[in-house]
Amino acid sequence: MWATKKLVLLTSTAVAASLAASAAVAGGFALREQSAYYQGTSFAGNGTSSDSISSMFWNPATITAAKDKINFEAHNTFIIPRSEITGTNVVPNSLTTPTGLISTTFNTGDIGQDAFVPSSYASYNFNDKVFLGVGINGAFGLATKPKDTNWTGAGYNRSSKIFSLNVNPVASYKINEMWSVGIGAQIQYADIRLTNASASPTIPGASLIPGQQLDGDGTGFGVTAGVSFRPTAKTEIGIGYRSAIFTDIDGTIVAPSSTNPFVSQTLGVKTVLSTPDMITVSAKQSITDDIRVLGTFEWTNWSRLKQPRLESTATGATVTTLPFNYDDGFFVALGGEYDFNDKLTLRAGAAYEWSPIDTEIRSARLPDNDRLWLSAGASYTYNKHVSFDLGYTHIFGADTDLNLVPGHQDYSASKGSLTGSVDSAVDILTASLRVKF
């Protein structure tokens, strides 16, 4: 029993930090990049209707503005994050005396992993009142991995990866020219793989420290809902809601035996991973027939994650908790569109995002912080059936400190103190094809 508890306790801190293993492009571990059309405005106006039905991701009521019977869109986003940590690791030197310490400076190299994020949407106008649609997305994910898997902080992060697939069927109803409402379901699959060393290496370049690995997957369910209000022909306000999804994760932890670190033992574990609910409030105002101003405010309920329990699948006993303890996240964006001619529309936008993670809980797996977005994009109408969108965003990360010392929720005495600074930025390139009949 003691060996089992030790196995889980060795891993629990890493699990807590790394279920959220990579959000380089949205607060926490969310992926906002679900539309090439709205990428160009930094997602300002994403909860209002437009020529793109991708707005259904944030507000399902918006598909009632679709003028054509059948609409299909394929959005493709390439995310290029850069996140580098430099600092010092102070580790107990077990090779000499129990009180001895080794201090090592480090540079992780780029821990960000490039990612391709596809999303697709379809809608069908059943009649002039009822509209049906479906979105397929990866709303959470990406990965982090230090350049050297045996770096001095490997006890806190060796690699992290999370994959999700979300299917979101929706139905919307156009009450009149002013009001539309929509509702939908979410079916989400998540797959997680997280690794770390069982202790921090005390000698750079030493042989590989035995590692620990969590593998798990599961499916959860949620809802979406929204309303669109058009008080005038030139003004629209949209409010959308994506619920939390509670995913039952079943998997295993593989870690060194407590008696022989070169022999692995496996423990079946389970937990419930909660992804946060989100409210989006957007507005669109036409200034002229060719110029529109767009805005969005978004609240994400990251604080609901708290400290989920990790349980043994064999006994059901709670072995430990996973201390996320995030704050809520906030996002504001302002953008504009200009119809250059009948075929070409230009757009741009800026946004600021308040991360749910601060220095008190920031981990080596997810060195997240506030960020500034700058974006530009364009749409081109090839003919009455086919259109294309392009978008580009550069994200500037705020100055960020890492401070894993006694008192930090991830700190482990055997892995030592890990302090330093994080230099991060993200480039995002995106394109989409829109087809309608």
Side-chain angles (χ1 to χ4, degrees), residues 12 97 107 119 132 145 182 239 263 324 351 370 403-404:
S12 61
T97 65
N107 184 313
S119 56
L132 306 176
K145 184 178 181 181
I239 302 175
V263 175
F324 285 97
D370 301 347
N403 197 33
L404 274 69

Side-chain angles (χ1 to χ4, degrees), residues 72-93:
F72 172 78
E73 299 182 6
H75 296 252
N76 302 277
T77 301
F78 189 52
I79 301 172
I80 311 168
R82 179 179 60 82
S83 185
E84 185 175 298
I85 310 173
T86 56
T88 303
N89 183 213
V90 180
V91 186
N93 183 6

Side-chain angles (χ1 to χ4, degrees), residues 62-281:
T62 58
I63 62 172
T64 61
K67 299 180 177 63
D68 295 275
K69 191 76 172 178
I70 298 173
N71 298 268
F72 172 78
E73 299 182 6
H75 296 252
N76 302 277
T77 301
F78 189 52
I79 301 172
I80 311 168
R82 179 179 60 82
S83 185
E84 185 175 298
I85 310 173
T86 56
T88 303
N89 183 213
V90 180
V91 186
N93 183 6
S94 59
L95 300 178
T96 56
T97 65
T99 58
L101 297 174
I102 290 180
S103 179
T104 306
T105 59
F106 67 87
N107 184 313
T108 61
D110 184 9
I111 70 173
Q113 301 288 294
D114 296 348
F116 171 66
V117 180
S119 56
S120 59
Y121 306 90
S123 72
Y124 174 71
N125 296 9
F126 188 77
N127 55 40
D128 61 355
K129 293 288 186 180
V130 178
F131 298 73
L132 306 176
V134 63
I136 302 175
N137 313 79
F140 301 93
L142 287 187
T144 59
K145 184 178 181 181
K147 184 177 180 180
D148 179 7
T149 57
N150 213 39
W151 70 293
T152 186
Y156 291 111
N157 180 24
R158 183 164 274 170
S159 68
S160 310
K161 186 175 182 179
I162 180 170
F163 166 82
S164 69
L165 178 64
N166 186 296
V167 179
N168 178 207
V170 304
S172 300
Y173 184 75
K174 187 174 184 178
I175 300 171
N176 52 40
E177 293 303 317
M178 292 180 62
W179 293 95
S180 295
V181 294
I183 192 168
Q186 295 187 71
I187 305 97
Q188 181 165 282
Y189 169 79
D191 181 81
I192 300 167
R193 173 170 290 186
L194 317 166
T195 67
N196 61 281
S198 56
S200 289
T202 56
I203 303 174
S207 59
L208 191 67
I209 300 294
Q212 304 167 156
Q213 180 169 302
L214 167 70
D215 282 289
D217 64 356
T219 302
F221 303 90
V223 299
T224 62
V227 58
S228 290
F229 174 53
R230 302 172 185 84
T232 73
K234 294 187 175 182
T235 305
E236 181 181 354
I237 299 170
I239 302 175
Y241 173 71
R242 292 183 69 88
S243 78
I245 297 178
F246 297 91
T247 304
D248 293 321
I249 300 292
D250 291 302
T252 58
I253 294 175
V254 179
S257 166
S258 58
T259 57
N260 184 347
F262 297 99
V263 175
S264 296
Q265 63 184 67
T266 301
L267 175 69
V269 292
K270 62 182 179 179
T271 190
V272 178
L273 175 61
S274 166
T275 54
D277 38 359
M278 179 178 73
I279 294 176
T280 301
V281 181

